[in-house]
Amino acid sequence: MFQLKEGVYWAGYIDWNLRNFHGYSTPSGSTYNSYLIVDEKPTLIDAVKHYGFEENLARIKEIIDPAKIRYIISNHTEMDHSGTIDKLLKYCPNAEVVCSPKGAEELKKHFKSNWKFKVVNTGDVLDIGKRKLSFLLMPMVHWPDSMATYSSEDKILFPNDAFGQHYASSERYADQVGLDTVWLEAAKYYANIVLPYGSQVLKVLEAAAKLDFDCIAPSHGLIWRRKQDIEKILSLYKRWASHETDNRVTIVYDTMWKSTEMMANKLFQGLDMANIPVKLMNLQVSQLADIVTEIMYSKFVFFGTPILNNRMLPTMASLLMYIKGLKTKNRYAFTFGSYGWATVGFKEFEESIKEAGFELLREGCYLNFVPEEEELNKLQDVIALVKGKIG
Ligand code: FEO
């Protein structure tokens, strides 16, 4: 059993085999973190995904008789954290389910049952003995019901999905694992799950700054305990929520007969020669979740597609639909591609990119069938534009 602080245990489930979380690629697996606080009124913070039930229950049983649990706090209704509460309640007949007002509505919709609910709002206190737990509602970070639980006695913030990462590990602390990987997974998590809700994240950060904690225990992945890591993840969230970017370029493209790829390669070479950080991502082999993580960091995104049936390729349309939902801001785009006999599809392509929140650097570059070298050289103009924006 793993104890974070005296009387505070991790009782979660490690999902080693998870490779896809509702469409988001998770090559490192994940965990569903469930925390048990042993006090006069034992309290469980969050449960796990349905197939982790037995492991969650076994970990609880190692620590106490589940019948002694008085509260099950559901910080967030999504089924990766609440999917086992109904089963758990059979072992915890004395437990009340603590959640936000929206949480109660959503849990009733999911489970169609009338559990004993205790509905809490920001600032409410739950007296569990030595500890007085309090709550911070976090609407839209990333569901309407989301909230954080705070234990001032333990100085632990339990913010559910916020500050988490999809990362399976037998270690529990971020500093016990190669940190580069953890930061990458934390960024990918933000880009794919939290990115649309920047203004709400900024409000949560402001409220959290008033709390005294030395440990952030999210519901996925590793726990942040080192001062420098806590400061860094808070400051990264502020940066990501503010849509701050780096002076770098992501080139993302698909290709049919390599003409659009020739253009992508030419752009890459020009940017690389100009010492502008650039990443080349082919939609045929790159995961959408990885592409949007790169885009989160990039001030400039170059999108390339050939035309098929008067449209952009479906892979590009799928990416743009995904980005539109993520509500990116403060980024420049450039469009390019190859066509055979009609350019009409590029208009829709450009419109989709503008709708996804990008400002076009200039009109796109579209070349007929297989580009000549002098046509490819025209792409140099856009590199000068990028340089001008970087200053
Ligand atoms: Fe990890 Fe929004 O559930």
Side-chain angles (χ1 to χ4, degrees):
M1 75 188 69
F2 177 83
Q3 196 167 198
L4 287 80
K5 300 250 175 133
E6 186 67 38
V8 183
Y9 298 88
W10 179 86
Y13 171 68
I14 306 172
D15 196 349
W16 296 103
N17 296 331
L18 184 80
R19 291 295 176 271
N20 185 307
F21 186 86
H22 57 50
Y24 158 6
S25 58
T26 51
S28 307
S30 193
T31 68
Y32 312 104
N33 297 336
S34 173
Y35 300 98
L36 180 64
I37 304 181
V38 178
D39 206 318
E40 287 166 30
K41 295 178 177 175
T43 298
L44 187 76
I45 301 180
D46 289 321
V48 299
K49 205 169 180 176
H50 64 97
Y51 48 75
F53 175 69
E54 294 299 337
E55 191 170 315
N56 183 216
L57 183 66
R59 290 187 196 279
I60 293 169
K61 282 181 174 172
E62 271 182 47
I63 304 159
I64 56 163
D65 173 0
K68 291 185 177 161
I69 292 178
R70 292 291 304 280
Y71 298 113
I72 297 174
I73 297 175
S74 169
N75 276 328
H76 176 32
T77 306
E78 197 164 7
M79 290 292 102
D80 49 333
H81 308 294
S82 300
T84 55
I85 292 181
D86 56 341
K87 281 193 204 164
L88 206 49
L89 281 170
K90 294 187 176 61
Y91 294 82
C92 317
N94 303 312
E96 284 179 79
V97 176
V98 182
C99 60
S100 67
K102 282 283 176 199
E105 282 174 29
E106 294 173 4
L107 286 167
K108 284 175 193 168
K109 289 273 183 198
H110 279 82
F111 290 101
K112 325 286 186 204
S113 10
N114 208 13
W115 301 334
K116 281 183 277 178
F117 283 104
K118 183 180 269 299
V119 174
V120 293
N121 278 291
T122 294
D124 285 355
V125 170
L126 184 70
D127 186 340
I128 64 166
K130 256 191 350 202
R131 297 171 177 82
K132 319 291 173 230
L133 302 179
S134 60
F135 304 95
L136 170 63
L137 265 51
M138 308 193 304
M140 299 318 295
V141 182
H142 70 122
W143 273 26
D145 65 296
S146 299
M147 69 175 192
T149 300
Y150 172 60
S151 170
S152 56
E153 288 76 12
D154 301 300
K155 293 195 178 184
I156 304 177
L157 183 67
F158 300 93
N160 195 264
D161 280 335
F163 313 114
Q165 337 86 43
H166 282 310
Y167 192 85
S169 167
S170 58
E171 287 90 5
R172 297 273 67 83
Y173 290 116
D175 54 272
Q176 293 173 312
V177 176
L179 271 172
D180 284 350
T181 312
V182 180
W183 293 122
L184 178 65
E185 291 296 341
K188 186 170 171 181
Y189 193 88
Y190 188 95
N192 286 275
I193 304 281
V194 193
L195 191 60
Y197 310 113
S199 58
Q200 292 91 335
V201 169
L202 291 174
K203 281 186 204 150
V204 167
L205 291 174
E206 208 179 310
K210 295 178 188 142
L211 304 175
D212 179 22
F213 53 86
D214 58 17
C215 180
I216 299 178
S219 56
H220 292 292
L222 298 148
I223 298 165
W224 309 99
R225 66 172 168 181
R226 291 198 314 189
K227 188 168 184 284
Q228 64 267 42
D229 297 333
I230 290 173
E231 285 171 359
K232 184 170 171 181
I233 191 70
L234 290 171
S235 103
L236 283 170
Y237 261 58
K238 188 169 178 191
R239 180 176 162 77
W240 295 332
S242 308
H243 292 276
E244 286 179 31
T245 50
D246 296 334
N247 285 325
R248 55 185 300 122
V249 182
T250 298
I251 303 172
V252 56
Y253 71 98
D254 201 343
T255 195
M256 287 168 67
W257 294 105
K258 304 288 184 195
S259 295
T260 302
E261 186 162 69
M262 283 168 74
M263 298 174 79
N265 286 335
K266 190 73 180 179
L267 286 162
F268 171 80
Q269 286 158 12
L271 290 159
D272 193 39
M273 292 286 281
N275 292 320
I276 297 168
V278 53
K279 192 149 191 168
L280 195 56
M281 303 187 90
N282 182 334
L283 277 160
Q284 289 174 18
V285 295
S286 303
Q287 298 287 336
L288 291 190
D290 294 323
I291 294 170
V292 298
T293 307
E294 288 300 325
I295 289 175
M296 183 171 76
Y297 281 108
S298 301
K299 181 178 291 203
F300 307 93
V301 185
F302 292 1
F303 295 94
T305 180
I307 292 295
L308 175 72
N309 301 331
N310 278 339
R311 306 268 178 187
M312 68 186 104
L313 285 188
T315 47
M316 181 57 75
S318 168
L319 172 69
L320 292 176
M321 181 62 81
Y322 191 43
I323 298 175
K324 227 179 273 184
L326 294 173
K327 297 187 180 152
T328 49
K329 289 181 190 160
N330 302 346
R331 288 166 181 84
Y332 296 101
F334 172 65
T335 57
F336 64 96
S338 160
Y339 66 97
W341 48 95
T343 57
V344 62
F346 290 123
K347 188 166 168 46
E348 184 183 43
F349 177 42
E350 289 180 8
E351 286 307 314
S352 296
I353 287 167
K354 285 195 273 185
E355 281 170 26
F358 292 86
E359 183 182 333
L360 295 179
L361 276 170
R362 70 161 168 84
E363 71 280 9
C365 180
Y366 309 118
L367 302 178
N368 190 220
F369 284 118
V370 182
E372 302 290 343
E373 193 58 31
E374 60 266 29
E375 288 178 306
L376 289 173
N377 287 338
K378 289 183 198 162
L379 291 166
Q380 292 302 319
D381 298 358
V382 78
I383 291 155
L385 282 176
V386 169
K387 275 185 176 170
K389 293 284 183 198
I390 290 173

